[in-house]
Amino acid sequence: MVGHVTPPALEWSVDNCTLARAMEILGERWTVVVLRDVFNGIRRFDDMRVRTGIPRQVLTNRLAMLVEHGVLRREPYQEPGARVRHEYRLTEKGLDLYPMLIAVTEWGNRYLADPEGPPIRYAHRDCGAEMQVGLHCADGHDVGDNRAVLPQPGPGAHRRT
């Protein structure tokens, strides 16, 4: 009988797992809904609240958390005769989430859309073609089969004891 071989990725501690850390920030439904709306050009609190139906306090908390983590920044604006208010803009850290948003949307469009089709599509501004997220390695090779990805310990991994 051949012995069980432990995959290399399981030989390392998950105490400093960056995926888990990212999900602490992004893993709540309303957080992703807020990000979707900001990416789609909705930047003001009242517009987000009305459009999404997110309870006021939940929206306040999610926006504050995204600002605290540097994903969004607050920018003041003022309507004539009104008090100064803030809108929310993506930072570079926030813009780097665009592939994740498109990947999740692409997955949802493929498996969860209504029979009429998905409610939104993301297109390349230059040519109009629909956006697709794909994997490629640092050497530029396209990875067409997700099974070709090999999890390996990174430089910040700590060996399990």
Side-chain angles (χ1 to χ4, degrees), residues 74-126:
R74 290 171 28 125
E75 284 198 8
Y77 73 92
Q78 186 172 15
E79 300 286 344
R83 67 180 173 89
V84 173
R85 303 186 82 143
H86 291 90
E87 60 183 23
Y88 296 86
R89 300 284 181 141
L90 291 159
T91 62
E92 283 300 313
K93 187 176 183 179
L95 280 167
D96 282 347
L97 290 169
Y98 220 163
M100 179 273 308
L101 180 78
I102 291 172
V104 172
T105 301
E106 188 176 1
W107 184 87
N109 288 351
R110 182 173 183 176
Y111 295 107
L112 305 171
D114 290 342
E116 307 82 52
I120 190 167
R121 65 184 281 270
Y122 293 92
H124 184 209
R125 190 179 302 269
D126 290 345

Side-chain angles (χ1 to χ4, degrees), residues 9 12-18 20 158 160:
W12 302 88
S13 171
V14 295
D15 292 341
N16 63 344
C17 176
T18 54
H158 303 289
R160 286 176 60 175

Side-chain angles (χ1 to χ4, degrees), residues 16-96:
N16 63 344
C17 176
T18 54
L19 176 61
R21 289 176 183 173
M23 293 311 294
E24 285 179 24
I25 298 169
L26 304 172
E28 199 278 327
R29 172 188 174 204
W30 290 124
T31 302
V32 177
V33 169
V34 167
L35 286 170
R36 176 204 63 198
D37 278 6
V38 174
F39 272 107
N40 291 338
I42 298 167
R43 297 183 178 95
R44 295 182 177 181
F45 183 93
D46 287 336
D47 294 337
M48 281 184 225
R49 191 179 56 74
V50 168
R51 176 157 171 72
T52 63
I54 299 174
R56 181 177 292 277
Q57 192 58 53
V58 172
L59 181 56
T60 298
N61 293 345
R62 295 306 174 271
L63 288 168
M65 184 268 305
L66 289 167
V67 169
E68 175 186 334
H69 286 284
V71 174
L72 299 177
R73 69 178 189 283
R74 290 171 28 125
E75 284 198 8
Y77 73 92
Q78 186 172 15
E79 300 286 344
R83 67 180 173 89
V84 173
R85 303 186 82 143
H86 291 90
E87 60 183 23
Y88 296 86
R89 300 284 181 141
L90 291 159
T91 62
E92 283 300 313
K93 187 176 183 179
L95 280 167
D96 282 347

